[in-house]
Amino acid sequence: SAEQMVELSLTSSVGDADLFASFTAHAPSFENHTYRSANAGGDVLRIPPSDANFCAALPCTLYVGVLGWGQDTTFTLLARQDIAAPSRLYDGVPQRVVEAAADTWRYFEFSPREDVAAFTVSVTPSLGDPDLYVSSDGALPSRTHFGWHADAVGEDALTVDAHDAGWCAAASCTYLIGVHAAQGAAAYAITAAVASSIEILEE
């Protein structure tokens, strides 16, 4: 859509991968790309529709290339246009939010395995003070509607446990997670993980 920003988020769980994209180059690479993010650790590209190189005619395709440096690389790549829709979290894999305006929400969803009896959600800010809210009833959480929440200054973490009143006992449950930029703009990494998972650390 010409009105919506494109956001690409790359998280490397093994090795270090870099992100390249283009609306015109069908195989974007280190040598041939329009956009790139080559950080140590996670990479995020945000392409606003006002960008001079945004596609000229709709519908169009954004081509994406991922380059692993010097070793085998395992990564998760998320592409989205509807920033308001919940992003899926994968067990133990952090997702980075590079820019959240003051008093705005970003939403995520997490579906633990059927045999899981608890999981932890954590938000680690690099800017601002994001607060954490979780619901299990299908409605997006808010400051007044939630099953679990954490709103300490700085990093927030909470554990959702099978003994809690709001625990979802169905075979496949999706928990909705809201992060609120409580005091000014925020940037952070969010992770949902069960106790047995290996958590990836953000640099």
Side-chain angles (χ1 to χ4, degrees):
S1 165
E3 290 77 30
Q4 292 183 313
M5 179 176 303
V6 175
E7 182 179 274
L8 301 172
S9 178
L10 174 70
T11 303
S12 301
S13 53
V14 175
D16 180 34
D18 293 333
L19 184 58
F20 304 90
S22 177
F23 287 104
T24 54
H26 288 216
S29 64
F30 183 81
E31 297 81 14
N32 185 19
H33 61 271
T34 308
Y35 310 98
R36 70 176 276 185
S37 178
N39 299 313
D43 289 285
V44 176
L45 280 176
R46 304 185 86 209
I47 309 169
S50 59
D51 186 278
N53 294 305
F54 205 86
C55 63
L58 297 174
C60 65
T61 300
L62 178 66
Y63 301 94
V64 179
V66 176
L67 174 64
W69 288 101
Q71 61 181 343
D72 291 340
T73 306
T74 303
F75 59 87
T76 301
L77 176 64
L78 175 70
R80 53 188 276 150
Q81 259 194 294
D82 186 357
I83 303 299
S87 297
R88 180 167 296 280
L89 296 177
Y90 295 92
D91 188 14
V93 179
Q95 188 170 129
R96 184 181 294 181
V97 173
V98 294
E99 181 183 341
D103 199 33
T104 59
W105 289 82
R106 289 290 292 266
Y107 294 101
F108 306 86
E109 58 184 27
F110 181 63
S111 300
R113 300 185 315 271
E114 187 177 349
D115 60 341
V116 167
F119 64 91
T120 299
V121 183
S122 60
V123 173
T124 305
S126 54
L127 173 69
D129 180 31
D131 293 333
L132 184 58
Y133 300 82
V134 178
S135 66
S136 59
D137 61 0
L140 290 173
S142 68
R143 294 172 69 183
T144 57
H145 177 84
F146 56 82
W148 301 262
H149 81 289
D151 55 8
V153 175
E155 182 175 7
D156 286 332
L158 58 83
T159 298
V160 178
D161 188 276
H163 297 97
D164 297 340
W167 180 261
C168 180
S172 62
C173 291
T174 297
Y175 292 83
L176 295 173
I177 302 162
V179 180
H180 180 236
Q183 298 177 13
Y188 52 87
I190 179 170
T191 308
V194 302
S196 61
S197 69
I198 296 175
E199 292 190 42
I200 300 166
L201 300 179
E202 279 283 285
E203 184 174 351

